[in-house]
Amino acid sequence: MALTIEVKNAEGVKVGSVDLPTEIFDAQTNVPLIHQVVTAQLAAARQGTQKSKNRGEVSGGGKKPFKQKGTGRARQGSSRSPNQKGGGTAHAVRPRTYFQRTPKKMIAAALRGVLSDRARNNRIHVLDSISAAPSTKAAIAAVRQFSTRKNLLVVVSRTEDFAWRSLRNADDLHLLVPDQLNAYNILKSDDLVFSQEAIKDFLAGPRKVVTAVARESEVSA
């Protein structure tokens, strides 16, 4: 079985349809799984380069700040102590990695889940061609015909140069290629707009696309 979605042109006229496989666009939405995958993705984006000096790394502190008795102050052994001005940091943070292991099957299942959720709520749209010439105004109007919601994710093929040049500087939408599609960006977006070429590339899968290109080059050679 397959889900059928209309394909529209820039003027909003239906020019065809595309069948979306139910195993991808009508799968079970596992919310805890999606949460784990998105959390791991956001954690992996953290640099983890923060660092502060402890009392053994700050300069100074070779002698007592003041004598042990007679000053009326609490005794101090070093100016590098955390309770001294310019001293080290207690429990200083260290560089670390925030990596969380996420198997590829979990990432794929999360992607299927969020795509299915958007499809069930009619939030996935297909446009035959985003832009026939470099024009930001025309391209934005074409993709915005489907929704007035704030967050819009547009997926275009790597070969659609005019679409990239038209939408890459648009502030009110996010631009991706099919092999970069991920659960986090879909969840952040209210609607998802594919170009017809992009949906074909996504359904074909990156491995199949590479194999097909390699075979074509062998035949031409």
Side-chain angles (χ1 to χ4, degrees):
M1 293 181 62
L3 301 175
T4 301
I5 292 184
E6 293 182 351
V7 178
K8 295 185 178 181
N9 59 16
E11 289 73 33
V13 179
K14 179 182 176 181
V15 294
S17 61
V18 61
D19 292 333
L20 304 180
T22 54
E23 60 267 20
I24 298 177
F25 291 89
D26 195 20
Q28 180 183 2
T29 301
N30 188 333
V31 176
L33 171 66
I34 295 172
H35 178 271
Q36 183 176 346
V37 170
V38 170
T39 300
Q41 181 178 344
L42 294 177
R46 299 181 67 177
Q47 290 184 327
T49 55
Q50 74 278 24
K51 183 182 183 300
S52 58
K53 294 181 179 180
N54 59 26
R55 65 182 297 162
E57 296 172 321
V58 295
S59 60
K63 54 181 283 188
K64 285 172 68 67
F66 45 83
K67 62 182 183 179
Q68 181 84 348
K69 297 181 179 294
T71 65
R73 302 172 63 186
R75 56 191 176 187
Q76 298 292 330
S78 172
S79 61
R80 296 191 294 182
S81 176
N83 62 357
Q84 292 289 314
K85 182 179 179 180
T89 303
H91 311 292
V93 295
R94 294 300 184 195
R96 54 162 293 189
T97 175
Y98 290 92
F99 171 77
Q100 298 180 22
R101 181 179 177 273
T102 313
K104 292 181 180 179
K105 288 185 178 180
M106 289 178 59
I107 298 174
L111 180 58
R112 290 194 300 269
V114 294
L115 285 173
S116 300
D117 177 74
R118 291 295 183 262
R120 281 190 282 267
N121 290 280
N122 300 318
R123 299 289 183 89
I124 295 181
H125 318 280
V126 181
L127 193 62
D128 67 337
S129 178
I130 292 177
S131 180
S135 173
T136 299
K137 182 177 180 180
I140 291 178
V143 299
R144 276 292 177 188
Q145 66 174 297
F146 299 105
S147 173
T148 58
R149 299 181 184 94
K150 180 179 179 180
N151 299 312
L152 190 65
L153 176 61
V154 182
V155 185
V156 299
S157 173
R158 292 183 182 275
T159 59
E160 295 180 281
D161 185 57
F162 288 158
W164 273 104
R165 291 163 64 183
S166 300
L167 295 176
R168 62 188 175 184
N169 292 326
D171 295 329
D172 58 345
L173 55 85
H174 191 58
L175 196 61
L176 284 180
V177 294
D179 56 359
Q180 291 178 337
L181 205 58
N182 59 85
Y184 172 67
N185 286 118
I186 296 175
L187 286 176
K188 278 187 61 179
S189 305
D190 298 312
D191 287 83
L192 180 59
V193 179
F194 285 93
S195 69
Q196 194 167 11
E197 192 66 28
I199 194 68
K200 290 179 181 178
D201 290 349
F202 176 72
L203 295 178
R207 293 183 180 178
K208 294 181 180 179
V209 172
V210 171
T211 303
V213 171
R215 289 177 179 175
E216 288 178 2
S217 62
E218 290 176 0
V219 172
S220 60

